């Protein structure tokens, strides 16, 4: 529907959801694709409460897709919003991140969503924070632990038990891969 960069994406086995981005202006659109069919994206039928850009974090379980943080010129966001994946409409308020940030890595298990590393908008412009939410319940993010080093714009990926955060920059490129056990809190290894 809309060509955009710097989007956040998450989904379940049926639908992929794309949150916001830049077209080059900030947008607050929500788009989706049906995994079993080819073709472009579709309008989700609603919007986020404000335009976001810059690798807003996105996580999901089988029912709900959640987006967190982002860049809203000239500010960084701490807002967390969600949609019900199979129902069209506007995003709803979920809670807030501990600190405003963008360019974070994100991943999830069927129960927990994790946001790590980021640009918090203050010097040195990287953080080692790991925050988490329980996707099925509303509320603010909580502290999980710390990455092995502060960095931003890394990639997140996971299975139901282990989450990984790879790469990023500090402002030089980083080739480190950290991991956490999703069911317990603690620092990354």
């Amino acid at each position: 529907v809309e060509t955009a960069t710097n989007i956040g994406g998450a989904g379940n086995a049926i639908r992929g959801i794309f949150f916001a981005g830049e077209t080059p202006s900030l947008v607050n659109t929500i788009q989706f694709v049906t995994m079993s069919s080819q073709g472009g994206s579709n309008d989700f039928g609603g919007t986020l409460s404000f335009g976001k850009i810059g690798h807003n974090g996105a996580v999901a379980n089988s029912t709900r897709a959640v987006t967190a943080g982002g860049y809203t010129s000239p500010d960084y966001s701490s807002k967390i919003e969600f949609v019900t994946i199979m129902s069209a409409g506007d995003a709803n308020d979920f809670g807030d991140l501990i600190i405003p940030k963008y360019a974070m890595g994100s991943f999830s298990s069927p129960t927990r969503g994790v946001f790590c590393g980021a640009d918090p908008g203050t010097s040195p412009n990287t953080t080692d924070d790991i925050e988490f939410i329980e996707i099925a319940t509303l509320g603010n993010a909580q502290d999980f632990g710390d990455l092995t080093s502060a960095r931003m714009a890394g990639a997140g990926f996971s299975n139901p038990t282990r989450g990984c955060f790879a790469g990023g920059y500090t402002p030089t490129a980083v080739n480190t891969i950290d991991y956490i056990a999703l069911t317990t809190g603690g620092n990354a290894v």
Side-chain angles (χ1 to χ4, degrees):
V1 171
E2 186 168 44
T3 302
T5 62
N6 298 319
I7 60 175
N12 63 15
I14 299 168
R15 275 189 177 172
I17 305 291
F18 306 105
F19 294 107
E22 180 180 22
T23 66
S25 59
L26 298 177
V27 295
N28 63 352
T29 55
I30 306 170
Q31 301 178 67
F32 76 96
V33 294
T34 302
M35 300 289 196
S36 62
S37 64
Q38 296 180 352
S41 64
N42 302 286
D43 184 0
F44 192 74
T47 61
L48 297 168
S49 64
F50 57 90
K52 292 184 177 184
I53 185 173
H55 308 281
N56 57 70
V59 297
N61 63 14
S62 61
T63 305
R64 187 178 274 179
V66 181
T67 180
Y71 176 74
T72 61
S73 183
D75 300 314
Y76 291 54
S77 175
S78 63
K79 192 164 189 64
I80 305 173
E81 296 183 85
F82 76 95
V83 296
T84 302
I85 296 172
M86 299 310 294
S87 301
D90 291 333
N92 300 288
D93 183 45
F94 188 98
D96 291 295
L97 293 167
I98 297 169
I99 60 170
K101 58 181 131 184
Y102 88 110
M104 69 194 90
S106 56
F107 47 84
S108 53
S109 71
T111 57
R112 188 171 272 186
V114 178
F115 308 99
C116 50
D119 181 346
T122 56
S123 185
N125 296 93
T126 57
T127 181
D128 62 359
D129 295 343
I130 304 172
E131 299 183 31
F132 77 96
I133 58 169
E134 299 296 335
I135 299 171
T137 60
L138 304 181
N140 294 333
Q142 300 174 54
D143 182 51
F144 189 96
D146 295 321
L147 294 170
T148 58
S149 65
R151 55 196 189 270
M152 62 181 283
F157 52 97
S158 64
N159 67 19
T161 57
R162 181 177 277 190
C164 297
F165 180 73
Y169 62 96
T170 65
T172 58
V174 175
N175 67 355
T176 304
I177 303 172
D178 287 358
Y179 75 90
I180 59 169
L182 282 160
T183 57
T184 60
N187 294 332
V189 178

